[in-house]
Amino acid sequence: MSKCRSCGEPAVVDLPRHNANFCSVHLQQLCTRQVERAISDHSMFAPEDRILVAVSGGKDSLALWDMLIELGYRADGLYIGLGIGEYSEESHRITAEFADTRGLTLHTVDLRAEHGFDIPTAARATKRVPCSACGLSKRHIFDRETRRHGYDVLATGHNLDDEAAVLLGNTIRWDVDYLSRQSPVLPERHGFPRKVKPLIRLTEREMAAWCVVRGIDYVVEECPMAIGNRHAGLKETLNAMDERSPGTKASFYLGFLDRMAPLLRERTDAEAAPEACPSCGSPSSSDGMPCSFCRLEENAGSHEPVPVRMVLNRVARRAFDAQWGEESSDDRG
Ligand code: Q46
Ligand code: ZN
Ligand code: ZN
């Protein structure tokens, strides 16, 4: 049996990028040290700050919440009910149970109850992939709830694999605007709260191992609407590179943060301040028009509810088309 690099006890996980195995105690030490380093390197928050953690029921966000509490931070959770059938029911159950058993505060926003639509219906109404309406809704609600409850900062569970995949996609397209905004800290400005990603130094594998050794129950299934999500392919590419040469993924992303991101930062400093949405008051770049979330609410809220499976058929077809090169059209299905 392999042994822990730090203490020689039996190991529970091997981490090729560290070229070592770790026992439960030293795995936890490694993870919390990486989180503390990310927090301090990027001045994410101070010990007295109140943190709102966006939790989905998946391993990353639950592990992040657990780690912040373990490190002594004041962190509450925010869960958004997206209305994605059984997947949403299960993720809500697991998140609520996590909070209950630890006596933590969890805020919940249900899209259909509060805004009259869910993600499958929004996807159908907008004739776009579900992740587009979903990302927009989540960003809007995260910002709003952080302000509404007076938190200092919003923390999300994006890990090294997520960020490296986004970076690779942005780099392949040389999307300089996105590259200049790809930061683990977005400062509070123009009415938007500060947003941070404390897990950027930890991989998916490490987060899954954290949940196992800490006995955290999490939703293992991927969101069924993620079919065709292009980040999955980018992650596979990076994993293949990392297998050949362990550490490639970390050096690609962390090297970008160290050496490239500072050169791009000036572009975001020059951004114009948005106006307030006339409908909900949130910052909006829509020039006096309702913000994109209010327009989505208007459009999707007046649409007949659509079951998850009908959207899935359409999403699967689009993924097939994207892969095999047929032209995809918006008005099918
Ligand atoms: S929940 Fe929403 Fe994700 Fe599902 S619909 Fe896409 S964005 S995949 S993180
Ligand atoms: Zn050990
Ligand atoms: Zn609005």
Side-chain angles (χ1 to χ4, degrees), residues 56 82 84 87 119 129-136 138 158 222-227 229:
S56 65
L82 302 166
I84 306 177
Y87 169 76
I119 295 306
V129 288
C131 294
S132 156
C134 187
L136 165 65
K138 288 197 285 196
H158 296 94
E222 288 279 310
C223 167
M225 304 260 152
I227 304 168
N229 180 334

Side-chain angles (χ1 to χ4, degrees), residues 4-10 22-27:
C4 171
R5 177 170 80 180
S6 303
C7 67
E9 291 293 311
F22 294 92
C23 70
S24 163
V25 170
H26 289 106
L27 170 79

Side-chain angles (χ1 to χ4, degrees), residues 8 46 48 53 68 73 80 95 126 133 141 153 157 160 187 222 233 251 273 291 310-311 328:
E48 64 276 13
V53 184
L68 293 180
Y73 287 102
I80 304 178
T95 307
T126 54
I141 293 169
V153 56
L160 176 59
E222 288 279 310
S251 81
C291 70
M310 287 177 65
V311 177
S328 86

Side-chain angles (χ1 to χ4, degrees), residues 149-298:
H149 299 288
Y151 288 96
D152 297 293
V153 56
L154 175 90
T156 55
H158 296 94
N159 59 36
L160 176 59
D161 296 65
D162 299 324
E163 293 302 295
V166 170
L167 176 61
L168 182 58
N170 289 340
T171 305
I172 287 169
R173 294 191 311 281
W174 287 118
D175 193 325
V176 180
D177 277 341
Y178 277 129
L179 283 169
S180 63
R181 271 179 265 145
Q182 195 178 345
S183 166
V185 180
L186 294 178
E188 177 181 6
R189 56 193 266 150
H190 304 325
F192 293 105
R194 189 180 351 146
K195 286 181 227 170
V196 298
K197 298 173 181 173
L199 299 186
I200 48 155
R201 303 187 62 86
L202 290 165
T203 61
E204 271 177 15
R205 185 179 171 78
E206 287 151 7
M207 298 328 300
W210 173 276
C211 288
V212 170
V213 302
R214 301 277 299 173
I216 297 174
D217 194 15
Y218 62 89
V219 184
V220 179
E221 294 76 38
E222 288 279 310
C223 167
M225 304 260 152
I227 304 168
N229 180 334
R230 65 196 153 78
H231 288 148
L234 294 169
K235 279 185 182 176
E236 275 168 29
T237 305
L238 284 164
N239 284 341
M241 290 164 77
D242 219 56
E243 223 163 87
R244 286 194 165 195
S245 176
T248 302
K249 198 164 29 187
S251 81
F252 174 55
Y253 176 65
L254 299 174
F256 164 80
L257 289 186
D258 268 359
R259 298 192 284 284
M260 192 66 210
L263 302 177
L264 293 165
R265 204 150 289 147
E266 283 172 16
R267 294 176 62 95
T268 47
D269 291 343
E271 271 174 13
E275 295 175 17
C277 165
S279 184
C280 72
S282 294
S284 160
S285 49
S286 308
D287 271 343
M289 302 287 289
C291 70
S292 22
F293 180 77
C294 285
R295 281 182 279 140
L296 175 67
E297 185 179 26
E298 165 93 44

